[in-house]
């Protein structure tokens, strides 16, 4: 009887832990969080003409919204150097 009770308790506890992580969307591993893309990843994804730079017509999102601030030499492209020096977006606050 003790073995059966112990197994039931452990199974119930395991299900409770699984459900609490599923309900709240927590993975328990901070490395699973999405990181900002690197310049090389952006080039691979967005550089339509494969020139190693990103023009305003090739990009989207926050880069496009802040293009003039990031394109410091005003040549119409974002280079890797400019991308590295660009201000990082602010993290959203959690409720």
């Amino acid at each position: 009887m003790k073995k059966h009770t112990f197994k039931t308790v452990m199974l119930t506890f395991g299900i409770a832990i699984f459900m609490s992580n599923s309900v709240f969307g927590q993975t328990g591993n901070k490395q699973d969080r999405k990181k900002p893309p690197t310049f090389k990843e952006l080039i691979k994804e967005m550089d339509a003409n494969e020139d190693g730079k990103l023009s305003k017509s090739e990009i989207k999102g926050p880069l496009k919204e802040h293009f003039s601030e990031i394109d410091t030499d005003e040549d119409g492209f974002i280079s890797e150097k400019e991308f590295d020096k660009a201000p990082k977006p602010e993290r959203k606050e959690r409720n």
Side-chain angles (χ1 to χ4, degrees):
M1 183 72 179
K2 281 187 173 184
K3 281 186 175 181
H4 182 66
T5 304
F6 181 74
K7 286 181 182 179
T8 304
V9 169
M10 292 306 292
L11 181 62
T12 305
F13 183 69
I15 291 172
I17 289 174
F18 175 75
M19 292 301 290
S20 67
N21 282 343
S22 296
V23 169
F24 296 109
Q26 298 173 350
T27 62
N29 186 351
K30 290 185 180 184
Q31 291 178 347
D32 290 343
R33 292 184 183 176
K34 189 174 181 180
K35 295 180 182 179
T38 64
F39 186 76
K40 289 181 182 180
E41 290 170 338
L42 288 176
I43 288 290
K44 185 177 179 181
E45 183 180 328
M46 295 185 192
D47 187 17
N49 62 0
E50 299 179 357
D51 63 353
K53 300 181 278 186
L54 296 170
S55 67
K56 190 170 186 175
S57 64
E58 293 175 316
I59 60 175
K60 57 187 174 189
L63 279 179
K64 191 166 196 156
E65 294 169 14
H66 301 284
F67 188 87
S68 59
E69 297 168 33
I70 299 168
D71 181 23
T72 55
D73 64 5
E74 299 177 351
D75 66 349
F77 299 96
I78 296 177
S79 66
E80 185 170 7
K81 186 178 180 181
E82 290 171 323
F83 178 78
D84 291 341
K85 291 183 178 181
K88 305 300 179 227
E90 293 180 21
R91 294 188 71 170
K92 295 179 183 176
E93 289 187 32
R94 295 170 66 175
N95 293 335

